[in-house]
């Protein structure tokens, strides 16, 4: 893979500082949701003995799925904007 004179591989322009910031911000949010998924599920779905119920794991799985889907969609949108420039 060779780097083109405009700075990007394959003829794409190099990332601007705002795009790098956006990718970093999205990555931080995604990791934060991954780390918070199980505690959030536990907060709402634990039994009287303090043990997690199945609803806890379902909620955590839903949070991870939604966060991952949003992360992928945002990165694809950013990529499509870069291709249209």
């Amino acid at each position: 893979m060779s780097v083109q004179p405009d700075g990007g591989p394959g003829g794409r322009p190099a990332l601007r500082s705002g795009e790098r910031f956006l990718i970093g911000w999205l990555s931080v949010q995604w990791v934060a949701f991954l780390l918070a998924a199980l505690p959030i599920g536990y907060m709402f779905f634990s039994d009287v003995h303090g043990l997690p119920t199945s609803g806890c794991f379902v909620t955590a799985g839903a949070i991870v799925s939604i966060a991952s889907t949003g992360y992928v969609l945002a990165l694809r949108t950013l990529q499509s904007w870069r291709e249209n420039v």
Side-chain angles (χ1 to χ4, degrees):
M1 176 169 21
S2 64
V3 176
Q4 301 298 321
D6 59 358
R12 285 181 289 191
L15 287 173
R16 293 176 285 212
S17 63
E19 292 170 336
R20 284 192 305 267
F21 175 78
L22 182 60
I23 290 171
W25 179 251
L26 290 170
S27 300
V28 166
Q29 285 185 333
W30 183 67
V31 169
F33 272 107
L34 292 182
L35 295 175
L38 197 55
I40 290 171
Y42 179 77
M43 183 172 59
F44 291 109
F45 298 102
S46 59
D47 64 7
V48 294
H49 303 293
L51 298 173
T53 62
S54 60
C56 170
F57 301 110
V58 170
T59 303
I63 291 171
V64 169
S65 298
I66 291 169
S68 298
T69 302
Y71 182 72
V72 169
L73 287 175
L75 290 180
R76 285 190 179 183
T77 303
L78 180 62
Q79 181 182 8
S80 71
W81 287 348
R82 287 175 41 84
E83 291 173 354
N84 291 332
V85 172

